[in-house]
Amino acid sequence: MGVSIDRFLLDAMLDLALEQHPYEVVLLLRGRVNRGAILVEDFLVPPLAVAGRSFAEFPLHMLPIDFSIVGTAHSHPSGTLSPSTGDLNSFYGRVMIILASPYTPDRAAAFSSLGERISIKVLD
Ligand SMILES: [Zn+2]
């Protein structure tokens, strides 16, 4: 099991996180799952996103059901590269990507609903 994502897409997410710093950014990941392998093809800023609201407070349960959503991404302005208990309690989809300050590509990590690290394969 792993997550594949195009480099330009990952860079765009990191750029957004940097722009919103010191606020947290919450993104929905669209893509496909094939035999446990997750391909992220696009991301979107969810409706109701309010700057300053943390991921754990975000009302993901209010989103319309969309089966192309494979997971979420959010930033950690604190720089922590692991999910909090609140993050895991509000897990949505198959994968959670955390973008940690200072938002360089090595500061992105993916996790399962159990909080286990999932490898990210960056596609050029
Ligand atoms: Zn978090």
Side-chain angles (χ1 to χ4, degrees):
M1 175 149 154
V3 184
S4 299
I5 182 167
D6 276 333
R7 186 174 300 279
F8 80 88
L9 210 54
L10 182 61
D11 285 346
M13 295 197 308
L14 290 162
D15 282 352
L16 255 176
L18 182 61
E19 273 173 29
Q20 293 298 314
H21 188 86
Y23 295 111
E24 215 177 290
V25 65
V26 179
L27 304 167
L28 297 175
L29 305 175
R30 298 184 107 147
R32 281 181 282 167
V33 182
N34 187 8
R35 293 179 193 168
I38 300 159
L39 174 65
V40 177
E41 297 176 306
D42 195 10
F43 68 82
L44 47 104
V45 180
L48 312 173
V50 177
R53 190 179 240 170
S54 80
F55 174 77
E57 297 166 51
F58 192 81
L60 289 167
H61 61 278
M62 287 175 61
L63 295 173
I65 294 168
D66 180 343
F67 291 106
S68 69
I69 303 295
V70 293
T72 59
H74 71 281
S75 61
H76 275 180
S78 66
T80 311
L81 199 51
S82 52
S84 66
T85 307
D87 288 346
L88 294 176
N89 286 339
S90 43
F91 197 94
Y92 183 84
R94 298 286 201 107
V95 64
M96 170 183 284
I97 292 181
I98 290 175
L99 311 161
S101 173
Y103 315 114
T104 46
D106 62 311
R107 302 300 290 157
F111 298 89
S112 73
S113 60
L114 300 174
E116 290 163 341
R117 190 100 175 229
I118 301 173
S119 64
I120 298 180
K121 187 179 178 192
V122 181
L123 310 171
D124 282 303

